[in-house]
Amino acid sequence: MNTTIPLPVQIVIDDVGWWTATDGSATGEPYRSGMSRAHVPADYLAIAELGRRLGMRPQAAMMLCDWDRDLLLRGLPEATWMGKAWDNPWRHHRHLDEAAQILNDRADHLELVVHGLAHEWWGGDTMERAEWADRAGVMRRRHLLVRHLETYAAILEGNNLGSMPSSFVPCAFNHAFGDGDAGIHRLLADFGILCVSTPFASMRQERPPQTARIAVECGVMTVDRGGGAPPWNAAAAAPPVAMTGPIIGLHWPNLLHAEAERNDEVIDSWVTHLQQLGRRPDRWLAPDTLRAWSQLAHVECTRIRETTAGLAFDFSGLDELTVRVPLDRFVAKTAGRQPPRFADGVRVLAESWEDASSCWVTQLQRAGSDASK
Ligand SMILES: [Zn+2]
C-alpha cells in the first residue's frame, strides 16, 4: 500500500516573552532566555515569519512576568525572586504595546501557549525548579497554582493578548502523568487547556501512556516532545539533522540572531530545513496545534485497510482516546501518480498533488463528524 498517515510536525518555542534576557540562575533569578542582548519586538516578528512562510502556527510558549504592567505578581510572592517587593522595569516600556500589536496582527502565524510567570519557584529559601512542579514532577500546591493561572490570564488580558490559550508547556519539563484528579492535568483542564507537550523521558509516569507518544488524562492530550534539540540558550542554532518526532522543540534564542536586524537569516535556514522535512511522504507540516495533535492521534491509532471499494480506515483505536481535542480530521499522503480512492467512512475535504514528494495529499474527515467543527 502506498498511502500513509504522515507524522505531523509542530514547532514549539519555549521561553518567549522575556524582555530581559540575562541568565540570572547563578544569583537566584530566572534562567530567562540566555540571549546576549535584551529582546525586541522584532524577535516576535521572527516567529510570525517562520509561521507565515511555512503555513504553520508555531507555538510561542510565553513567560509573562516581564509583561506584568500592574504588578499583580506582588500578590504571588513565591512566583518571583523579589517576592512581595516585585517590580517590573519593563512595565511602562513601549515594546509591550509594539509586541502585543505584532502578536495580535500575526495571530494567524503563531499561537500563544501557557508556559509560566517567572519559570521557577521561590517558595523556600532559594530558587527551585520549576514553577508548576518540582524536579520529581510533584505538583506545587494546587491553590497556589490556581492563582498562577488566574494571574497568567489577567496579564494576557492586561496586554490585550486575548484569553487563556488552549496549550501548555511545563517549565523545565517538570511534569507528571497519572496523578488523576490530584494532578496537573485536572487543573489544566479546569482552565480550558487541551494540549500539552513535554519530553516523556523526563515525565514521572504513574501509569503507562495510552500510546508511545500520547498520554491522555482528564481529557488533556499530552504529546511527547522528544529530544535532540539545540541547547536552550544557543542563538542562531542550526536545524538538527534528525527531526524524528512530531515536535520540533526549540527555545527562543535558537531562532534569533545576536543582531536582531539579522533574525531573517536564521529564519531562512529553518524555513528551508522544515520545508524539506514537510516534503517527505511520511511527514506533514501541520497548520496549527489542534490539527497536529489530531494527526498524531491518527498516526498512532488509525489503521488503513485496502478494500475493493478503496482505502478504508479502522478508527476503533482512536475512539479509545478520550480527549477534548477534536479528532475528526487528518491527512493522508499517497505516493505515485494514481490518486487514492477511499471507501465509505471518510469524506475528502481537499486533495492536491505535491510535486516535491510525488504524493497526493488528501485532507480527510471521518464521516458522520460535522464539517463545521
Ligand atoms: Zn522554559
Side-chain angles (χ1 to χ4, degrees):
M1 181 166 27
N2 44 11
T3 296
T4 55
I5 301 176
L7 188 67
V9 176
Q10 171 61 314
I11 303 162
V12 178
I13 309 160
D14 292 356
D15 303 339
V16 181
W18 296 106
W19 291 111
T20 301
T22 327
D23 176 357
S25 57
T27 54
E29 294 186 16
Y31 291 76
R32 300 193 182 87
S33 73
M35 196 81 189
S36 60
R37 57 165 172 80
H39 288 282
V40 290
D43 296 344
Y44 293 89
L45 273 178
I47 300 173
E49 275 302 284
L50 180 72
R52 184 188 66 79
R53 291 176 62 187
L54 293 169
M56 300 174 70
R57 294 181 76 207
Q59 287 194 355
M62 294 286 288
M63 300 310 309
L64 288 187
C65 67
D66 283 359
W67 290 75
D68 182 13
R69 296 174 190 250
D70 305 314
L71 303 181
L72 301 176
L73 296 184
R74 284 187 178 172
L76 302 177
E78 75 289 343
T80 75
W81 60 105
M82 295 186 212
K84 288 178 181 152
W86 164 250
D87 199 3
N88 173 18
W90 293 96
R91 58 195 285 243
H92 298 303
H93 201 288
R94 63 185 165 80
H95 279 176
L96 273 70
D97 281 333
E98 288 176 25
Q101 185 82 40
I102 292 167
L103 290 169
N104 285 317
D105 290 350
R106 306 296 294 271
D108 287 349
H109 304 141
L110 54 81
E111 292 179 21
L112 297 191
V113 168
V114 179
H115 195 32
L117 295 167
H119 211 284
E120 316 302 339
W121 188 259
W122 289 268
D125 295 338
T126 53
M127 180 178 90
E128 292 171 40
R129 306 213 87 181
E131 181 166 349
W132 309 103
D134 68 16
R135 282 197 182 278
V138 176
M139 189 173 109
R140 304 292 178 188
R141 281 189 291 166
R142 183 188 164 94
H143 73 279
L144 292 174
L145 292 191
V146 166
R147 297 183 58 207
H148 281 230
L149 287 166
E150 287 170 350
T151 306
Y152 195 94
I155 295 176
L156 283 177
E157 196 181 310
N159 286 281
N160 297 313
L161 289 174
S163 53
M164 200 66 171
S166 60
S167 296
F168 172 84
V169 176
C171 292
F173 310 138
N174 291 356
H175 199 66
F177 171 68
D179 288 337
D181 283 343
I184 187 80
H185 294 112
R186 166 56 58 206
L187 177 67
L188 296 174
D190 289 350
F191 277 81
I193 290 169
L194 318 177
C195 302
V196 175
S197 67
T198 196
F200 280 13
S202 61
M203 178 172 74
R204 177 169 58 81
Q205 299 178 21
E206 291 302 316
R207 56 191 173 91
Q210 282 82 353
T211 79
R213 289 178 288 216
I214 297 172
V216 178
E217 186 168 39
C218 305
V220 177
M221 178 169 161
T222 298
V223 166
D224 183 14
R225 175 180 173 116
W232 64 276
N233 54 0
V241 178
M243 297 202 255
T244 53
I247 290 174
I248 312 293
L250 303 176
H251 288 78
W252 205 12
N254 299 159
L255 297 171
L256 303 177
H257 198 283
E259 299 164 46
E261 54 278 13
R262 295 178 63 189
N263 282 346
D264 278 353
E265 296 171 30
V266 187
I267 296 302
D268 277 346
S269 73
W270 281 90
V271 167
T272 304
H273 210 81
L274 286 159
Q275 280 172 336
Q276 280 166 4
L277 183 68
R279 285 181 198 127
R280 286 176 42 161
D282 59 346
R283 301 305 297 267
W284 176 62
L285 302 184
D288 60 31
T289 298
L290 290 179
R291 295 290 306 281
W293 265 229
S294 175
Q295 181 75 8
L296 180 64
H298 284 275
V299 170
E300 302 270 270
C301 300
T302 298
R303 297 288 157 260
I304 310 179
R305 278 183 299 118
E306 277 181 284
T307 72
T308 50
L311 295 170
F313 296 91
D314 175 357
F315 297 115
S316 53
L318 191 78
D319 290 337
E320 287 174 24
L321 294 182
T322 50
V323 294
R324 291 163 66 208
V325 174
L327 300 181
D328 55 325
R329 289 173 70 180
F330 63 108
V331 163
K333 285 193 177 184
T334 305
R337 277 281 162 196
Q338 193 68 31
R341 223 159 45 89
F342 296 99
D344 288 349
V346 289
R347 212 155 68 80
V348 174
L349 298 175
E351 190 163 68
S352 57
W353 171 256
E354 190 177 71
D355 229 8
S357 63
S358 299
C359 281
W360 291 96
V361 181
T362 315
Q363 311 264 354
L364 293 161
Q365 182 173 41
R366 283 182 74 171
S369 49
D370 180 359
S372 65
K373 268 184 193 165

